Amino acid sequence: MNSTTKFVSKAVQLLDIASRTFAINEIELPELADDQILIQTITSTIDTLDYKKILGKVPNLPLPFTPGLESFGKVIATGSKATSFLGKHVAAWTFDGSVKSLAISNIRRVMILPESVNPELASMAFINPLTVLGLLEFAQPDVAIINNSANSSVGRMISKVCKFKGISLINIVRSEEKASELKADGDHYVLNSSDEKFLPQLQELAAKLNAKLFLDAVAGDLSGDILGVLPPNSKMVGYGNISGLK
């Protein structure tokens, strides 16, 4: 297949925001540019921005709307300057949504991965890892970190990087079930924000570990409560608003 072949993809599309009506439609894809590739999707993800769009929190959203920014799949066609990618498995930052059977990307926006890679993780190879690296730029020597929404994809990545770097980490979740999962995964300090003793427990543990960097994806009243029990001169870095996605 070459760059002048016409391709038709099946895409999940939001048709109406008020009723949150979705449909699977066939869409014709544009011809591939010389440096573009066509990917047969194996897995794809939606992120917080997609969720906001679906909930009507982003004004003037053109409809129909296909969610998703990232995907993982196999390259089945290429432009003339991208032939070395043919047959490769790639994580990709895609154009015009990723929740579809075929997606187009530019070769500068993909990462070649082994076929044996975990497909779910491969479809989150860009936004989340870069978010984690950016957040940990705020880390300081001998200062522990508080990790809100610790069972999220970003939260789990923060945990793994902190373990690798030897940074003490207090993980916060919202149920005993999630707390047990994190402890089973090797997380030492895990607190349940639904526990009535949560804030006193956090205050004591934060003082003990010198936890002054609070990475918050939740926002809302709880975030203020958490910041209020941390040691003096603590810093909160917000990178999400899960509490507002309702």
Side-chain angles (χ1 to χ4, degrees), residues 12-243:
V12 173
Q13 295 189 313
L14 175 66
L15 304 181
D16 181 74
I17 294 174
S19 62
R20 294 180 196 167
T21 300
F22 286 85
I24 299 176
N25 293 324
E26 290 190 344
I27 57 173
E28 185 173 305
L29 301 179
E31 292 184 2
L32 297 177
D34 290 344
D35 58 353
Q36 290 182 338
I37 57 177
L38 182 72
I39 303 161
Q40 186 174 50
T41 304
I42 297 173
T43 53
S44 60
T45 60
I46 63 173
D47 65 11
T48 304
L49 180 58
D50 292 308
Y51 198 20
K52 287 182 176 181
K53 291 177 179 179
I54 292 168
L55 294 179
K57 295 181 180 293
V58 176
N60 303 316
L61 178 68
L63 296 176
F65 164 68
T66 299
L69 292 173
E70 297 180 78
S71 65
F72 169 71
K74 184 177 181 179
V75 179
I76 60 171
T78 74
S80 61
K81 297 180 180 179
T83 55
S84 62
F85 286 80
L86 190 62
K88 298 291 193 344
H89 285 74
V90 296
W93 192 295
T94 55
F95 300 125
D96 299 325
S98 65
V99 187
K100 52 193 177 187
S101 59
L102 300 174
I104 292 174
S105 187
N106 186 286
I107 57 175
R108 292 184 295 276
R109 297 162 62 123
V110 302
M111 182 189 311
I112 297 175
L113 296 173
E115 185 177 354
S116 59
V117 72
N118 181 309
E120 182 179 342
L121 295 179
S123 65
M124 298 182 285
F126 291 97
I127 297 174
N128 286 353
L130 290 174
T131 298
V132 172
L133 293 176
L135 290 171
L136 292 179
E137 285 292 310
F138 293 94
Q140 298 176 333
D142 303 318
V143 173
I145 295 173
I146 301 95
N147 178 22
N148 207 0
S149 187
N151 61 305
S152 67
S153 297
V154 170
R156 301 314 304 134
M157 290 183 185
I158 289 172
S159 175
K160 294 182 185 301
V161 175
C162 285
K163 288 174 187 175
F164 178 76
K165 293 190 172 186
I167 300 172
S168 296
L169 182 68
I170 300 173
N171 291 283
I172 299 174
V173 293
R174 290 182 286 179
S175 70
E176 280 303 317
E177 178 186 3
K178 294 301 181 183
S180 298
E181 290 178 3
L182 266 62
K183 289 175 182 177
D185 196 35
D187 290 281
H188 188 57
Y189 304 111
V190 185
L191 298 178
N192 174 12
S193 63
S194 299
D195 191 312
E196 60 181 15
K197 298 180 181 179
F198 165 65
L199 289 175
Q201 291 172 341
L202 176 60
Q203 185 172 27
E204 180 180 353
L205 188 56
K208 176 183 175 182
L209 299 177
N210 192 35
K212 293 184 176 182
L213 176 59
F214 173 29
L215 304 179
D216 177 40
V218 178
D221 294 340
L222 180 61
S223 298
D225 293 340
I226 290 173
L227 190 60
V229 300
L230 298 184
N233 301 315
S234 292
K235 177 186 295 185
M236 181 175 75
V237 179
Y239 66 97
N241 184 22
I242 294 175
S243 64

